[in-house]
Amino acid sequence: MSRRSGILEFAVLGLLRESPMHGYELRKRLNTSLGVFRAFSYGTLYPCLKTLVANGWLIEEPSSTPDEALATPLTGRRAKIVYRLTAEGKERFEELLSQTGPDAYEDEHFAARFAFFGQTSRDVRMRVLEGRRSRLEERLEKMRASLARTRERLDDYTLELQRHGMESVEREVRWLNELIESERTGRDQRQSPATDAAEQDTSADAGGLPRHRDNTRPDPSDDTAK
């Protein structure tokens, strides 16, 4: 299985864990909730769904909405198929959710993994965040070294483009530092006997996510958060 199809499998199982959906609704959620899948088409999604059904992780059911049930006999059209997660599918998603290998740090994989951090254990979140930060710090070091070697040979626009790329990576590293510190603070508060139980519950529910200055949390699907 390719990396791209693997992360699509993960995202589909995660969304269907929340509730059953038909294909159109599922594609819409992939496009709007998980920005990394904006370019995905039905031609990519439906083979993935068929594979998940064949593996026993999903089942197909006819739509049970009253309007469709009445319209289908009149129009002769087939009812929309709803995809539902099976018990085996839930186990598969839990298995994927617990994985913290190098793939979890890559650009597309990390965005999808972050979208399901609310369902991920704190220890796994920490490993993914720290792995992502390490990967970006390595990338930043290479970018700086490359810029130092080629600065004199670059025109102003190419130089500015490289600086822009470096600044984007630096912003994400700072963002990751904030997330990691919030996760550590939440863990320390939960483990401290002096911490009020209600505060512990709030910290766990929040998933350690830092708030912006206006007391709102950053949107993980917003590219500017990186």
Side-chain angles (χ1 to χ4, degrees), residues 75-94:
T75 61
R77 294 185 309 210
R78 293 178 57 187
K80 288 183 179 179
I81 297 298
V82 172
Y83 295 91
R84 183 185 300 275
L85 204 63
T86 65
E88 292 79 8
K90 292 179 182 177
E91 291 179 2
R92 173 61 175 168
F93 180 67
E94 292 291 343

Side-chain angles (χ1 to χ4, degrees), residues 40-90:
F40 270 58
S41 64
Y42 286 112
T44 303
L45 175 60
Y46 279 102
C48 175
L49 290 171
K50 294 299 182 184
T51 298
L52 297 179
V53 170
N55 288 339
W57 298 332
L58 301 182
I59 56 174
E60 297 177 323
E61 300 175 339
S63 176
S64 58
T65 58
D67 290 343
E68 289 187 12
L70 290 173
T72 298
L74 298 176
T75 61
R77 294 185 309 210
R78 293 178 57 187
K80 288 183 179 179
I81 297 298
V82 172
Y83 295 91
R84 183 185 300 275
L85 204 63
T86 65
E88 292 79 8
K90 292 179 182 177

